[in-house]
Amino acid sequence: EDQVTQSPEALRLQEGESSSLNCSYTVSGLRGLFWYRQDPGKGPEFLFTLYSAGEEKEKERLKATLTKKESFLHITAPKPEDSATYLCAVQGSGGSNYKLTFGKGTLLTVNP
Amino acid sequence: KAGVTQTPRYLIKTRGQQVTLSCSPISGHRSVSWYQQTPGQGLQFLFEYFSETQRNKGNFPGRFSGRQFSNSRSEMNVSTLELGDSALYLCASSLGAARDEQFFGPGTRLTVL
């Protein structure tokens, strides 16, 4: 069974203080690793998909990286508007090919 | 391009009742997945439909069911509601191939009293 563990559960940063969020996973044949951002009371917003170890993707202050066991979401010089819950999900090549297995998320708070 | 829409946005029901939630995917998307989100369990997969056929099902009891119509719109139904069914129900749409990004709607907040 696919499993995803995110750490830390919560992270509080000062504006401009860079940091990283971790997503560790076990999956039978990784098809894709997905990062989402979720604001309170809203549905998850798609950020990135990573398909193979060594791959990196960037969007504004966010950069996602992937190894064979984990993914990192690096946040450079964050702003208060980056405050949200960041979710990581995997899609494996097992029986349920089309479902996403999610971690519990990291609640990021950026103080001005 | 319009995003995924879900109706209703909020719903209050009592134990034993049944409920139907609706999801309209992004135009051109043929796959619709449903997830339940609770504070304790996070996001959990319910089922996925593609071209009116259920391709995948999660580990939920048979009280949870769904269907998809020829225009790709989808509904999910929960019968004999229990207090533990209170959650945010999210639907996500994609083009339908494995590895495609799934785009989520705003969700339906269901409260069971």
Side-chain angles (χ1 to χ4, degrees):
Chain A
E1 188 174 326
D2 302 341
Q3 289 189 320
V4 177
T5 302
Q6 291 187 247
S7 62
E9 291 185 12
L11 180 63
R12 189 176 293 271
L13 300 173
Q14 288 298 122
E15 183 172 3
E17 179 186 2
S18 301
S19 189
S20 297
L21 313 182
N22 177 263
C23 170
S24 298
Y25 64 90
T26 55
V27 63
S28 56
L30 180 70
R31 286 188 179 273
L33 185 141
F34 302 81
W35 282 98
Y36 288 85
R37 167 197 170 123
Q38 186 174 26
D39 293 301
K42 296 188 176 181
E45 174 190 345
F46 172 76
L47 293 174
F48 303 109
T49 309
L50 301 168
Y51 296 109
S52 58
E55 189 174 0
E56 299 182 351
K57 287 192 177 174
E58 288 188 66
K59 179 181 180 180
E60 296 181 357
R61 295 176 292 282
L62 301 177
K63 178 180 177 180
T65 62
L66 180 65
T67 72
K68 289 186 177 180
K69 294 183 178 180
E70 56 191 350
S71 176
F72 292 93
L73 185 64
H74 307 278
I75 304 176
T76 302
K79 298 182 178 181
E81 54 261 43
D82 294 323
S83 297
T85 295
Y86 290 85
L87 297 165
C88 167
V90 296
Q91 184 183 65
S93 59
S96 296
N97 290 348
Y98 304 97
K99 79 169 190 178
L100 296 180
T101 299
F102 281 85
K104 296 283 181 70
T106 293
L107 175 60
L108 174 66
T109 304
V110 182
N111 296 316
Chain B
K1 198 172 188 180
V4 178
T5 58
Q6 293 187 244
T7 56
R9 292 294 313 280
Y10 303 91
L11 208 49
I12 299 175
K13 293 285 187 179
T14 56
R15 287 169 52 190
Q17 288 187 308
Q18 74 167 20
V19 67
T20 299
L21 312 181
S22 180
C23 171
S24 292
I26 293 170
S27 178
H29 284 192
R30 297 170 64 190
S31 169
V32 173
S33 299
W34 289 89
Y35 295 83
Q36 180 195 66
Q37 186 175 31
T38 59
Q41 299 298 318
L43 272 145
Q44 293 187 290
F45 174 76
L46 282 156
F47 28 66
E48 186 258 355
Y49 288 87
F50 178 81
S51 291
E52 302 180 66
T53 300
Q54 186 183 87
R55 288 195 299 193
N56 291 131
K57 189 177 190 305
N59 298 320
F60 279 81
R63 300 185 297 106
F64 292 83
S65 62
R67 60 177 175 169
Q68 187 180 34
F69 302 96
S70 58
N71 61 358
S72 295
R73 190 177 68 85
S74 178
E75 290 181 346
M76 69 163 281
N77 183 275
V78 188
S79 62
T80 319
L81 284 166
E82 301 177 358
L83 296 179
D85 296 333
S86 294
L88 181 66
Y89 289 88
L90 292 158
C91 113
S93 78
S94 74
L95 290 170
R99 308 175 94 192
D100 282 342
E101 295 87 353
Q102 296 185 19
F103 297 91
F104 284 82
T108 294
R109 171 73 62 185
L110 172 64
T111 302
V112 182
L113 302 176

